[in-house]
Every structure is written in C-alpha cells, then in structure tokens.
Amino acid sequence: MRISLLCLSLVVGLAALPVMADDMPRPTGDAVLTVSGQIEHANVEQAAVFDMAMLETLPERSFETTTLWTEGKTSFAGVALADVLEAIGAEKGVIRASAINDYTVEIPVDSVSATAPIIAYEMNGEPMSRRQKGPLWIVYPYDSDAEFRTEVVYSRSIWQLDRMEIVQ
Amino acid sequence: MPDRSLQTHALNPGGRWLIWTVGLLLSAMFAVTLSLTGQVVSNLERQRSANSDNVQWTLTQVEVEYLSFVNELEQHLHDPDGLLPPAEDVSELRRKFDVFYSRVDTLHSSSLFLPLREDPDFKARLDVALAFLDRTVPAIDGDDATLFSEIVPIWQDARLVRDEVRGLSLEGLSYFATTSDARRDETATTLAQLAALSGALMLVLAVTSIYLLYINRIIRRRGDEMVETNQRMRTILSTSLDGVIVSNAAGEVLQFNPAAESIFGYKAEDTIGRSIGDLIVPPHLRDMHNAGMKRMQEGGERRVVGHGRVQLDAMRQNGDVFPAELALQSAQSGEEEIVIAFVRDISQRVDDQTELISARDKALAGEKAKAEFLTVMTHEIRTPLNGLLGNLSLLKNARPNKEQRQFVHNMELSGQVLLNHVDTVLDIARFEAGKLSVKREPIDLGLLLQEIVDSQSGYAASRGNAITWQWSGPAEPWVATDGQRLQQVLLNLVGNAIKFTERGRVSIELDVAEPADATGKAVYEFRVTDTGVGISEDDLERVFDDFHTHDASIGRAEGGTGLGLGIARRFAEAMGGEIGVESSLGEGSVFWVRLPLQQVDEAKPQARDPIHAGPLHKLDLLVVEDNEINLEVIRNMLEMDGHTVAIARNGEAGVEAAHTHRFDAILMDISMPVMDGPTATRHIRSEGGQSAASPILAVSANVLPQSVAEFRAAGMNAFVGKPLTLTSLRKALVALFDEEDGLTGEAEDIDPLTSMRADLGEEAFARFLERFRAEGDDMVARLERTGETKDALHDIAQESHRLAGSAAMFGALEMRDVLIEVEMAAKSGEQDELAALIRKTRGVWTRTQKALPKPD
C-alpha cells in the first residue's frame, strides 16, 4: 500500500514536470540511485536511474578520513556528487537526498564542490552492504577541513542513499 | 647635567615601581583572559562540530527502526480472518531488517558511542540486540519460502528484545544529556570567570588611566617649569657681558649670544650651524683646534674643556686676531654632548699689562743705570779728589804765607767733607748694586771703641760735648768680624749724637747681650747715648730712612747728606744684626746696635790661614760618600785646592767608578747604603780594576781603635776623622803621599764651625747649615714616629749614621754622640734603650740648634 501511494505521488509529480528527453543510457543492472526533479538528462520516465555499473563509469574519487560512525581511519571510494549532478544536468537548487528508510536531507547544489562530498560505494576497498550503511553513502572528507565537522554536514552525510530529487 | 636630565625624565622610584607592577598585572590578566577566551572558543567549537544531536537521532532511530521492523513482521502475521491477507513479499522485510541492523551496527562500531559502550548496562543490552540480529541473519538471508516460514519465531524473538532495544535508546539519551549538561556547565563557568576577569581588567585599566592622568599633570607642570627655566636662561645669555657660544660635539654652532655678536662681529643667525673653527679660530691655531676637537670626539684627553680659563688668540669676522680669555665646559644635552664657550675680549687688558710691564722694566733699568752711574761717578770723582787733596797737602809744605795757608786749610776742609760725601754715596751705591762684602777678621772691640772716641773727641769738644766709652758687663773684646764696617756704623751713630748735642755728653756702652752659644757666637749690644735734642715720636720711625734729616737747617749747617743712619742700618743688617733708637724730645736719644759676633781667642792663630802641610800637586780623586752635605763639603774643599773630584754616592757606585778609571786616591765613607766602605774597598782591591792599587782614605766619624784596625784589614791606607776640616784633609792627603800610612785615628782638635765657614766661604756654609737644620728636624720627627719593625730599625740605624756624620761636620758633638748611640741600639734591636735614646735625641737637638750659628 505504501508502495502504491508512493507510485501515485510519483506519477502526479512527473505529470507536472516539463517533458525531458530520455537521452541517458538505460540501466541494465539493479537500480541503486534514482535522481528526479529539475534535471536535464533522464533515462527512465523523466528520471535518471543509475545502476552500479553506470556509477562506476563516472570518475572514481577516494579519500581517507575518520567518521563519527566508524572506528578508526576509513577509506572511501565513490563518485563526486558534483560529477553526478553534471551527468544529469543539475546546476542549481536543492538536492533532496533520501535513504531507504525515507530519511531525507536537503543539500544545496551551491554547497557541493568538485571533490566533496562523494557518493561512496566502497568502504576500505569493499562494496558496502545495506547492513553496513550501503550500498551508497554520501561522505565528506571530515578530517581535511573543520568546515566538514559541523552539525549540518553530519546531517547531510546520509547513508543507505537510494534516491535524490532536485528541487528549486 | 646628565643627572639632571635623568631626573627630569624619570619618575620617582615609587612611581616606576607602581608602573611595573600594574604592567605585570595587566599582562598577567590579559594572558589569563586570552587563555579563558581560547577555552570558551574551543568549547563553542566543540559544540559547533558537536555530534550530540546526531547521536540522539541515531539513538532514537534504533528504536524507530526496531519498531518498523517488528511492524513489518506483523504484516505477515495476519490471520486468515483478518482484513488483509498476510503479505507475500518479504523484500520489504529484508530491507527493514537491514536498516535496523545498520542502526545497531552503528551503535556497535561508531566511535561516537565508544564512551557509552563502556557502560556495562548499555553494553549488555547492545550484546542482546546484536545476538538477536546474528540469530536472525540466516533466516533473512535464506530464500523467501524459508523466511516466510520463519516469520513467527523471528517475531516472537524480536518481541523479546524489545525492552533491550528501548533501553539502548533511553540510556544512550540520558548519558548524552548528562554529558551535554556537564559541558554546558563547564562553558558557563568559563564564561563567568571570563566576565570576572574582564571586570578586573577594566578596574586595573581605570586605575592605570587615573595614574597616567596624574603623571601627565606632573609632566605638564615640569614642562612649564622647563619653559620658564629656558626663558630665564635665554635672558641670562642675552644679557651676559661675556660672549657665550654653544656648539655640538662636531663643533657646529648652536647658539651665539649678543655679547659674542659684538665681540666677533657676526650676526647670530649667520653663525648657526657653521663650524666654530672656521668662525673664530685664527688660521695659525686651526690645526690645534681641529686636533682638540678630534680628541674630544674620540673621548680622549681634554686639555681645554673643563680646565678653567685659558688665554688664546681668537679671530673677528674681519680677520682681526685678538687675545681672548676662554673657558670651555661640556654638558650633556639629551643624547648629545654640547660644548659651551665663554669668551671675553681681553685685548684692552693685555695692552694695559704689556704697557705696565714695559714701564716697570724701564723703571728697573733706569734704577739700575742710576745705581751704576752713581757707583761709577763717585769712583770717578774720588780719584781726582784724592789728587786735589794730595796736592793741597803738598801746597801746605810750599811755605805759603799766612793768608794762603788759611785758604789751603779751608780748601782741605772742604775737600775732606766732599770726600766723605763721595764715600758715603759710594757705599750706598755698592750696597744697592749688591756689591757690598763683609769681611771677617779678629778684632779687639775695646781697641775699636777707643779709636772711635779718640778720633771724635776733637769734634765733640768743638760742640762742647764730653765723649766716653765703657763695658757695661764683663769685657769679651775679641771677635771675628768686619771691623771696618762696624767702625763705620758706630762712627755714624757717634757723629750723629755729637751733631745733635751741644754742651752735653755722648757715651758709648757695650756688653754681651746673649752669651756665646756652642759655636762661640754671642750677641753684642752697642749703645750710643746722648743728651741732645732728641727725636720726636713722628720722626723715630723715619730716622733710618735715606736722605732723612732731622731738621733741614741743622742738616745743612752740619753738612750731612742724610744718608748716615741709612748706611748704618744697611751695614748692621748686612752683618746679621739690628739697629734701633729710643728717644724723648729735649732729653736725648739712645741709638743701639745688636750684632751676633763670633767670639775668638785672642791668642789663637787665625783658623782661616791656609796651612801648607806640604807640597801637594793637583790630584785626581774619587769621593765615595752617601751624605749629601758631607759630599758637597768635601768636594768644595778639594776643588778649592785645585783637585779634580769625581763622586759616587754608595759603595757599589764607587767600585764601578774605581774599576774604569785610575784615581790618584779614593776618599771612602765607611757606612753607606747598598755597599759599605770596607766591602767596597775589598772589591776595588780584589777585582784588579784601574784603581785597584790606588790609596784609599777612610773618612769616618768612628774613631775607635778596633774600627780603625778593621778599616786597615779591608785594605784602606789611611784614615781621616769627621768633622772634616780643610787642614785635616790636606794633612791626610799629604801623609798619604808621603808614606801612605795615615791611619792614626786622630781627629783634628779644631773649632770645626769656624774652620768650615772659612774653608767653604759664607754662602756655601749658610746653605749647608740650612740643610743640616732641615735634616735634623726631619730626623728627630721621624725617630719619634717610627715603628719597631725590622726594616724601620734598619732605616733608623742608617739615617742616624748619616746625620751623625753631618753633626760632626758642624761640631755638634753631643748630637753626634747621641746619634751613634741610637744607631747602635737600633742595630742591636734593644727597643727599650732605643726609646729612651729617641727621647733624649729631641732634647739634644734643641740644644744643638740653639748652639748652631744663625744663618747670616
């Protein structure tokens, strides 16, 4: 029932959006990330749906940092959020990022830099399972700058990410 | 100056101390404030990057996800009679499980919960939750059918851990709430401290401000005072009569006062900043000036600065060089040294001085020329006058008639008066020119007075006066003096007395006023008493002045020059005596003369006659003697006889001299510093120098037979005792060359003073006498304050010996004896005896001094 409600709202939302070209390659594997809203490129019903292979075609970024939620130094690898935004043609507005348990945070596009945050898909060289905050986790290099050790950034560090919506 | 400037700028020590304290306090408080602020900032920072909200979220989410998972389980539990059929799809269940799993896993692995995990309750609950998850994972990861069949046991299991999961959230929340409270309290405390400290800081700042205001007031007051002082200084400078020029250390003019302007002709504004050397130092002094400036800048010696007034040449603007008096002072003006010159134009004074000096020189030259003219003229007049008088006496014998004889007689009288006058003037002129000599020869005073009375009785009778002479005490007539001068003095007084007495009496009295001392010198007093007109009190003081006549009419009538008493005074003084007068007007006068005269024995042969002990050719002699007086006496005596004399002041120097030069004979003192006589003799004899074979004459006051034997043993050929006389010296030398054996040990029994005086001449004698007195005084004083150390005793022995030699020379035998005793006592170190002798020496010296002749 929840699913149907969700589907309904999606359909209503999409109907209101301007028609976009489905000019992105379609996902072939399981979808891991769905981006909707004010985007220029889409592949499935005006949304940009990524499987893991598609994410891996984007440049890989990695760093080491400690986090509040892990023990000791942890290395992360993934794609820069900025690269994803560029791939879908989102230049402004706010990203509403949601987790599989519907936890949602807002990240202004302006706050996204070329290197931080990343959408991590590997932790310590291993893919992350859902039980380990996987498969995708928005991670900042917390150790590199005090700017990344704030309440706001911690709250934006959303794990078990599965969808994003770009809104104005 | 530097001190003053310090005082002006510095506060009193208390104030400075206060400033230091306040400064330190402020710094300390500032440091503490900084540290507290840092703490607050870091606290805020911690809260800024704080994670508590996130933690709380995570904690609450554990329970939320747990409930979500249980709820999903229950979706599959609906019984067949329910509203909805049980769900077939378990993927949602797997997702809920994973999310719950991930929440618990976060609690288990996140560093955020590290402190919380140390809480045993929390840890136990976490373990329960983890155990449940681990138990459930196989079913969740199995295929759908298996999972579906396992749902009921999983649900039942999950219900069992519900309290634990809830507990996890609650305990975590309460733990973090407590931590957060503690941190807030900490921050609040820090802020309170900060506030208190800031308050204190404000207070201190306020106090400091008040103090600074106070200091500012003081400084302003001092500033005012300084302005006032400056004003005063400027007034002083501008009204000073002396030129005042202030320059810096480089010599550039800083100030030039109006007096300096008028002295040098510059305008002050033209001089500022210019080199003082170029402005006022004349070209010929410029090198010296520059050298002086350089010396001063280098901190070297200052020859003019700070050394009072000096006289220098200075130069005006127009190039005129003039004498100036200059005083330079340096002072510290702030960091810089300044030089202040006070200049006075003294050209007028110098001109006046030069004029005065030249006037004085002219006057002196005139005086001298006059005296010389007088001497020459009187001498020149005397010669023809003698011719005239001689021819007159011849004329008397040429049988003139009665009338002619009268003329000749008159001419002869006038000629005699004229000759007298000329002689008088000649005496004065000689005296003034310093050519007056005083002879010494034995005379009989009785005879002298008798001759005077005889020669003046005719003149006295012509004025109706009686004239007599007599001894008023015992007669001691024989003295050694210049009889002619004494006669002149007395004749003047007697002639004067007769001149001013009519039908009265002129009497001459003579006595010994002070009996003879050890040297035989006695003071004789001659009194010429008349019953004449007397002298008024006003005139008493002036009667001995030149050209003074008691009464012009009488003076003319008696043909006096007014020089008579003046001459008498000069002669008396030249002979070491005094002259005076007592008189009352109308009753007569007493003229008196007191003279120190050397008494001599009538029968005695005259000591000054040279004794020719034998033919003695001119000798080349060496005198070795440490006593300066003795050395000089011996040398004078020897040189008087034409000998060549070399001197050495101690035995060692004597040995050296004897080594390099062959002397005909050596006169050797016995006791000398460095090396004594016998040792020196041994060296001379044994070293084979030039004088190794020359006869050596021992000169010593020590005449004991054993000593003489000792001298002979040392290689000395002869001996002459002290006191030395020319005669004894001559005898000894002659004996030396006759048979070279004069070690007889006999001192001459002769009045040493008289003979020495005669031998050396008056001038040298007086010099030696003066020295002996000084040495004696010095010695007695030193004896009385001397210490008892070994060195002091040695010195005493040596000095006593030396002075004993001098004492013997002056015939002060008592003094010599006591000094020899002192020497012995000092040598043997007998302190008590020495002390007694030293006390005795003082008395003996006092007696000796009285007995010594007064310096003429």
Side-chain angles (χ1 to χ4, degrees):
Chain A
M1 166 162 155
R2 279 172 67 112
I3 298 221
S4 53
L5 276 177
L6 185 70
C7 287
L8 186 69
S9 72
L10 267 175
V11 170
V12 173
L14 285 174
L17 287 169
V19 178
M20 275 176 281
D22 287 350
D23 52 358
M24 280 178 68
R26 288 178 168 271
T28 50
D30 290 340
V32 287
L33 180 63
T34 305
V35 187
S36 58
Q38 305 276 335
I39 58 174
E40 283 180 13
H41 309 293
N43 51 8
V44 180
E45 293 168 354
Q46 314 206 331
V49 180
F50 293 84
D51 59 11
M52 202 52 99
M54 284 171 70
L55 283 179
E56 282 167 356
T57 59
L58 294 172
E60 187 184 276
R61 312 264 177 183
S62 62
F63 50 76
E64 253 194 8
T65 185
T66 59
T67 76
L68 290 178
W69 310 278
T70 54
E71 259 188 309
K73 284 238 171 210
T74 311
S75 68
F76 292 97
V79 295
L81 179 56
D83 290 343
V84 174
L85 292 178
E86 196 188 332
I88 58 171
E91 285 170 0
K92 54 189 175 131
V94 174
I95 308 161
R96 285 184 145 170
S98 300
I100 49 176
N101 64 342
D102 297 338
Y103 172 72
T104 302
V105 295
E106 293 193 341
I107 305 171
V109 174
D110 289 347
S111 75
V112 177
S113 78
T115 53
I118 62 169
I119 299 173
Y121 45 70
E122 273 182 11
M123 182 165 72
N124 293 332
E126 300 286 335
M128 290 178 285
S129 72
R130 259 195 334 221
R131 289 173 198 162
Q132 283 180 307
K133 305 182 177 67
L136 299 179
W137 184 2
I138 292 187
V139 182
Y140 289 77
Y142 310 99
D143 291 352
S144 70
D145 196 325
E147 286 298 309
F148 299 134
R149 294 193 291 272
T150 64
E151 200 70 33
V152 172
V153 169
Y154 289 144
S155 70
R156 286 174 186 166
S157 302
I158 179 168
W159 59 71
Q160 293 164 331
L161 172 76
D162 74 339
R163 60 194 185 277
M164 296 193 295
E165 187 188 2
I166 313 298
V167 295
Q168 288 304 314
Chain B
M1 259 327 248
D3 291 345
R4 262 193 69 123
S5 68
L6 263 180
Q7 271 183 349
T8 336
H9 293 125
L11 296 159
N12 56 46
R16 205 186 306 183
W17 183 84
L18 188 62
I19 281 189
W20 276 108
T21 314
V22 170
L24 279 175
L25 198 65
L26 277 175
S27 316
M29 291 178 99
F30 190 61
V32 175
T33 311
L34 266 185
S35 135
L36 284 178
T37 309
Q39 217 171 311
V40 170
V41 167
S42 110
N43 271 349
L44 288 175
E45 181 75 17
R46 258 204 335 254
Q47 277 174 357
R48 193 157 73 97
S49 58
N51 26 52
S52 50
D53 288 352
N54 198 298
V55 164
Q56 280 157 15
W57 166 259
T58 309
L59 283 170
T60 50
Q61 280 311 100
V62 172
E63 200 186 354
V64 169
E65 300 300 346
Y66 166 78
L67 290 175
S68 173
F69 172 60
V70 171
N71 188 36
E72 187 62 32
L73 281 173
E74 283 170 355
Q75 295 284 325
H76 298 276
L77 289 182
H78 291 292
D79 60 24
D81 306 330
L83 192 60
L84 288 168
E88 299 280 324
D89 186 1
V90 288
S91 66
E92 186 64 15
L93 181 65
R94 284 200 178 98
R95 200 165 59 88
K96 295 271 161 87
F97 177 82
D98 283 353
V99 171
F100 174 53
Y101 189 103
S102 116
R103 293 291 170 201
V104 175
D105 181 59
T106 302
L107 288 188
H108 172 63
S109 59
S110 166
S111 58
L112 272 178
F113 302 98
L114 200 62
L116 196 52
R117 282 201 294 274
E118 278 163 13
D119 181 45
D121 272 3
F122 182 84
K123 178 84 170 95
R125 291 177 198 275
L126 184 59
D127 286 346
V128 170
L130 283 171
F132 165 75
L133 288 174
D134 287 345
R135 275 197 308 275
T136 313
V137 163
I140 295 289
D141 288 354
D143 58 39
D144 286 1
T146 316
L147 175 58
F148 201 73
S149 65
E150 289 283 334
I151 281 179
V152 174
I154 290 173
W155 176 70
Q156 286 164 340
D157 198 2
R159 294 284 299 249
L160 288 177
V161 299
R162 182 190 174 130
D163 284 348
E164 262 67 29
V165 172
R166 189 172 177 75
L168 276 180
S169 291
L170 293 178
E171 268 176 33
L173 283 175
S174 104
Y175 170 82
F176 280 105
T178 314
T179 320
S180 183
D181 279 352
R183 196 167 296 144
R184 261 194 299 278
D185 284 352
E186 196 184 312
T187 309
T189 311
T190 311
L191 280 172
Q193 284 170 349
L194 194 62
L197 203 65
S198 301
L201 207 59
M202 289 298 288
L203 197 68
V204 172
L205 279 172
V207 170
T208 312
S209 303
I210 289 168
Y211 184 62
L212 283 176
L213 271 175
Y214 167 71
I215 287 174
N216 190 35
R217 268 236 308 276
I218 290 181
I219 288 174
R220 205 161 51 208
R221 203 168 57 223
R222 283 185 188 164
D224 290 349
E225 280 168 12
M226 218 129 94
V227 167
E228 207 175 296
T229 310
N230 275 345
Q231 189 63 44
R232 210 154 43 221
M233 277 306 294
R234 260 202 297 282
T235 312
I236 292 171
L237 274 185
S238 61
T239 53
S240 164
L241 292 178
D242 283 353
V244 180
I245 304 172
V246 182
S247 80
N248 60 15
E252 290 158 6
V253 174
L254 303 174
Q255 252 180 322
F256 205 82
N257 79 337
E261 287 182 333
S262 74
I263 291 174
F264 290 100
Y266 290 105
K267 284 268 154 226
E269 58 263 31
D270 298 337
T271 64
I272 307 300
R274 285 179 64 188
S275 160
I276 197 162
D278 298 342
L279 287 175
I280 64 164
V281 178
H284 70 276
L285 291 178
R286 223 161 267 172
D287 285 349
M288 210 175 82
H289 168 80
N290 290 336
M293 291 296 294
K294 198 160 165 244
R295 225 178 17 247
M296 196 184 90
Q297 283 156 14
E298 287 164 0
E301 181 201 2
R302 294 172 174 204
R303 295 193 184 150
V304 181
V305 176
H307 284 77
R309 291 169 178 276
V310 290
Q311 193 174 327
L312 283 173
D313 282 349
M315 188 178 71
R316 299 187 215 280
Q317 188 180 24
N318 60 14
D320 282 355
V321 174
F322 65 98
E325 201 170 65
L326 178 73
L328 288 183
Q329 275 301 341
S330 70
Q332 207 66 29
S333 172
E335 286 296 297
E336 201 187 22
E337 182 171 27
I338 57 168
V339 178
I340 306 148
F342 301 89
V343 191
R344 187 177 294 176
D345 182 350
I346 55 164
S347 34
Q348 186 60 43
R349 197 167 87 195
V350 168
D351 286 352
D352 292 351
Q353 251 170 21
T354 315
E355 207 170 305
L356 264 177
I357 289 170
S358 101
R360 186 200 64 192
D361 288 349
K362 270 186 209 153
L364 281 178
E367 275 296 304
K368 202 166 168 234
K370 193 175 78 189
E372 271 168 17
F373 173 75
L374 260 180
T375 315
V376 171
M377 279 316 292
T378 43
H379 192 74
E380 294 298 315
I381 292 166
R382 243 174 146 259
T383 314
L385 194 55
N386 277 326
L388 265 175
L389 287 173
N391 280 298
L392 274 177
S393 64
L394 290 178
L395 196 60
K396 258 199 302 198
N397 298 331
R399 277 174 295 174
N401 61 27
K402 195 183 168 194
E403 197 184 15
Q404 284 169 330
R405 194 154 45 239
Q406 186 58 45
F407 291 155
V408 169
H409 179 68
N410 289 348
M411 284 167 74
E412 211 172 10
L413 274 180
S414 299
Q416 278 299 339
V417 171
L418 182 57
L419 187 62
N420 268 337
H421 286 179
V422 168
D423 280 349
T424 307
V425 172
L426 186 61
D427 276 340
I428 295 229
R430 273 186 187 151
F431 188 88
E432 295 296 317
K435 288 174 183 164
L436 190 73
S437 63
V438 180
K439 284 187 268 178
R440 288 166 65 84
E441 57 198 1
I443 56 160
D444 182 340
L445 289 176
L447 194 62
L448 179 86
L449 288 182
Q450 190 56 52
E451 278 172 6
I452 289 171
V453 167
D454 288 349
S455 70
Q456 294 298 307
S457 56
Y459 177 38
S462 72
R463 309 263 308 148
N465 294 329
I467 180 166
T468 58
W469 80 271
Q470 65 175 26
W471 286 95
S472 62
E476 290 178 49
W478 281 97
V479 293
T481 187
D482 190 331
Q484 208 184 332
R485 298 277 172 235
L486 181 56
Q487 190 180 29
Q488 233 170 324
V489 172
L490 293 173
L491 265 177
N492 261 318
L493 297 183
V494 171
N496 215 47
I498 295 170
K499 196 193 289 179
F500 292 103
T501 310
E502 250 185 319
R503 287 185 294 280
R505 202 174 60 249
V506 173
S507 59
I508 309 168
E509 280 182 328
L510 165 63
D511 65 2
V512 179
E514 288 174 27
D517 59 15
T519 61
K521 201 160 232 181
V523 176
Y524 284 77
E525 186 173 274
F526 302 83
R527 286 184 300 280
V528 179
T529 311
D530 66 54
T531 56
V533 293
I535 306 164
S536 72
E537 225 167 289
D538 293 345
D539 285 336
L540 270 181
E541 302 221 333
R542 295 184 288 130
V543 292
F544 294 106
D545 292 350
D546 289 339
F547 305 108
H548 175 81
T549 50
H550 170 67
D551 179 327
S553 59
I554 293 176
R556 254 199 312 281
E558 302 304 325
T561 55
L563 288 172
L565 288 178
I567 289 172
R569 173 178 57 84
R570 282 186 178 83
F571 286 169
E573 283 166 4
M575 286 190 289
E578 10 171 26
I579 194 166
V581 62
E582 287 151 28
S583 180
S584 49
L585 205 57
E587 288 176 19
S589 312
V590 181
F591 282 83
W592 53 262
V593 182
R594 286 163 155 267
L595 291 175
L597 295 173
Q598 182 69 49
Q599 290 185 337
V600 291
D601 194 345
E602 179 197 1
K604 213 168 163 87
Q606 289 174 16
R608 66 189 296 269
D609 281 357
I611 293 164
H612 295 285
L616 205 54
H617 54 278
K618 307 301 174 207
L619 296 171
D620 191 1
L621 299 173
L622 172 64
V623 178
V624 188
E625 166 72 76
D626 66 312
N627 181 307
E628 281 295 324
I629 293 185
N630 287 354
L631 187 61
E632 281 305 302
V633 168
I634 296 171
R635 183 157 76 167
N636 274 6
M637 286 176 173
L638 293 174
E639 283 176 349
M640 210 179 282
D641 280 0
H643 303 304
T644 309
V645 181
I647 57 174
R649 287 189 168 77
N650 61 55
E652 201 177 77
V655 172
E656 255 170 60
H659 195 80
T660 53
H661 186 84
R662 194 203 173 283
F663 292 102
D664 292 326
I666 298 168
L667 282 77
M668 179 81 75
D669 185 26
I670 297 304
S671 177
M672 287 178 288
V674 187
M675 185 188 284
D676 66 13
T679 313
T681 304
R682 274 186 216 105
H683 278 284
I684 292 170
R685 292 281 183 247
S686 64
E687 280 174 12
Q690 293 280 336
S691 296
S694 298
I696 296 177
L697 183 62
V699 182
S700 176
N702 190 346
V703 295
L704 298 175
Q706 68 265 33
S707 301
V708 175
E710 209 179 292
F711 304 157
R712 191 193 294 276
M716 292 172 148
N717 303 76
F719 172 86
V720 58
K722 287 176 181 174
L724 266 183
T725 64
L726 188 55
T727 316
S728 60
L729 200 52
R730 275 180 189 149
K731 270 185 182 166
L733 281 174
V734 167
L736 204 57
F737 288 98
D738 274 357
E739 43 186 293
E740 294 204 354
D741 190 348
L743 278 170
T744 57
E746 278 175 17
E748 276 294 318
D749 184 20
I750 205 172
D751 172 23
L753 264 187
T754 313
S755 59
M756 185 160 82
R757 201 166 194 160
D759 295 342
L760 292 174
E762 205 58 45
E763 199 184 300
F765 177 76
R767 212 169 59 229
F768 290 136
L769 188 62
E770 192 51 43
R771 255 166 82 168
F772 175 55
R773 281 178 190 284
E775 277 186 9
D777 285 340
D778 188 31
M779 179 74 199
V780 170
R782 272 175 49 190
L783 278 177
E784 283 174 354
R785 62 161 186 267
T786 197
E788 294 180 357
T789 64
K790 205 174 161 205
D791 280 352
L793 288 178
H794 179 256
D795 284 350
I796 289 176
Q798 213 163 42
E799 290 293 312
S800 304
H801 181 88
R802 245 162 42 80
L803 193 62
S806 297
M809 187 76 73
F810 286 95
L813 299 183
E814 196 191 356
M815 185 70 184
R816 181 195 67 178
D817 291 344
V818 77
L819 283 170
I820 288 175
E821 281 178 65
V822 168
E823 181 191 356
M824 297 300 177
K827 271 182 178 162
S828 58
E830 290 163 14
Q831 300 285 1
D832 292 347
E833 199 188 337
L834 184 61
L837 283 168
I838 286 172
R839 279 194 297 281
K840 186 178 168 193
T841 310
R842 161 66 74 183
V844 172
W845 175 242
T846 311
R847 274 199 295 285
T848 304
Q849 265 186 312
K850 275 196 195 126
L852 284 176
K854 293 221 171 66
D856 286 339

